[in-house]
Amino acid sequence: MSATTMIDPVSPELKQVLRALKLGKMLHTLPERLTLAKQQHLSHAAFLELVLADEATRRDTQSAQLRARKAGLDPGMRIETWDESAAVRYDRTLWNELTSLRFLDGPHGACLLGAVGVGKTHLATALGHIAVRRRHSVLMLRADALFKRLKAARLDNSVEAEMRRLTQVRLLLIDDFALQPLHATETADFYELVVARHHTASTVLTSNREPAEWLAMMSDPLLAQSAVDRLTSTTHELVIEGESYRQRQKPGHAPSGASIDTTTTGDHDAH
């Protein structure tokens, strides 16, 4: 066997055919698969199944990444990047139930509650990634960005269409809710969104405050009470306690077992 053949066992003709069929990405793994097929004496059918499975996996992964980006999910905040050695405490049984996504069938929701930095956003984002991989529609927004989005829609008379889009998302993740007081329009928007999604879609919120404290953060007590009652009546509460997860990501701080993305921006409760 010549050196050229060893380096590139895929013929130019096969490369051309694969590219014509939009299967050019298979060329990244095809040489290794050809070698494996020879070593294990795979049948033609087994080899074909192997290389097509590679391509199907690649496409599924790429599709999930694109949908996660469109959903506003941080790619570094997945369940597999959560640092299990972090000094935080939460109900593991409830968390395992949430990661099953059975709450979407209710549909029920979840509130991830705890002090600044304990990992609420990471866990909420991880739920979003799981849902994306299972091909559910997902959208994640910080609460302030959500209200700005509705405000902008109101300026061009598209608020009803925007509210419909927010209502129809199977899993809506609202991060840093009630971090700041909600003025009258924001309170009304939150009420309308909760009412529209109640018993029809799942909402997950992260907050530094307990639901009882949200009432004081909204300008209209009646709308606030109505929204919070609806929301909490079908919501699982996961309380996260312990040391700040963010502190583990300071330069030079590398605890054993840590495998997490260290990027944090602004005041976002990224971890």
Side-chain angles (χ1 to χ4, degrees):
M1 182 179 293
S2 68
T4 302
T5 304
M6 291 179 63
I7 293 173
D8 191 357
V10 184
S11 70
E13 292 79 14
L14 179 54
K15 291 180 180 180
Q16 184 176 358
V17 170
L18 289 175
R19 288 174 179 138
L21 294 173
K22 300 188 185 304
L23 294 171
K25 296 292 185 181
M26 289 176 62
L27 293 169
H28 296 309
T29 57
L30 191 54
E32 291 80 5
R33 290 311 194 189
L34 284 168
T35 301
L36 180 66
K38 291 177 181 178
Q39 291 173 344
Q40 299 187 1
H41 307 290
L42 296 182
S43 67
H44 293 128
F47 173 70
L48 183 61
E49 181 180 353
L50 181 64
V51 294
L52 291 181
D54 284 345
E55 178 63 9
T57 299
R58 186 195 66 78
R59 292 190 181 193
D60 282 346
T61 300
Q62 184 179 51
S63 174
Q65 290 172 344
L66 291 173
R67 285 181 282 114
R69 190 179 306 127
K70 185 177 180 181
L73 301 174
D74 187 318
M77 296 186 194
R78 304 182 310 278
I79 192 168
E80 56 267 30
T81 60
W82 173 257
D83 184 2
E84 289 292 343
S85 68
V88 295
R89 302 176 301 280
Y90 52 91
D91 186 334
R92 298 303 178 104
T93 300
L94 175 55
W95 172 244
N96 290 338
E97 174 62 24
L98 291 175
T99 58
S100 76
L101 298 188
R102 282 190 287 265
F103 71 93
L104 295 182
D105 297 329
H108 297 150
C111 290
L112 277 56
L113 309 173
V116 171
V118 292
K120 302 182 297 296
T121 299
H122 191 123
L123 294 180
T125 307
L127 291 177
H129 280 291
I130 295 171
V132 162
R133 288 197 290 266
R134 297 185 189 177
R135 298 192 174 275
H136 297 299
S137 59
V138 178
L139 178 63
M140 184 169 191
L141 292 166
R142 279 208 321 261
D144 62 335
L146 170 66
F147 295 126
K148 287 177 183 176
R149 185 167 172 160
L150 288 168
K151 180 180 179 180
R154 192 170 281 106
L155 293 175
D156 63 10
N157 296 316
S158 63
V159 67
E160 290 185 6
E162 183 62 33
M163 190 64 79
R164 279 196 301 273
R165 282 192 288 270
L166 292 170
T167 300
Q168 292 167 1
V169 174
R170 183 78 183 277
L171 176 59
L172 178 63
L173 301 137
I174 304 175
D175 193 27
D176 279 342
F177 181 70
L179 189 62
Q180 303 175 30
L182 278 66
H183 58 61
T185 302
E186 293 172 339
T187 299
D189 283 342
F190 181 65
Y191 168 79
E192 293 294 340
L193 186 60
V194 169
V195 170
R197 293 180 60 80
H198 190 54
H199 291 315
T200 64
S202 296
T203 305
V204 171
L205 296 93
T206 75
S207 182
N208 300 328
R209 308 176 193 274
E210 296 182 0
E213 299 177 84
W214 297 349
L215 303 177
M217 302 297 292
M218 299 188 220
S219 62
D220 187 317
L222 185 60
L223 290 182
Q225 185 69 59
S226 181
V228 172
D229 282 352
R230 280 182 171 86
L231 192 67
T232 57
S233 67
T234 55
T235 292
H236 302 280
E237 283 192 13
L238 184 70
V239 178
I240 308 163
E241 300 175 305
E243 299 175 8
S244 172
Y245 194 93
R246 280 202 197 98
Q247 295 304 312
R248 302 168 64 79
Q249 291 147 325
K250 284 185 176 181
H253 188 97
S256 61
S259 60
I260 201 166
D261 182 9
T262 58
T263 302
T264 303
T265 56
D267 292 329
H268 186 40
D269 187 18
H271 303 294

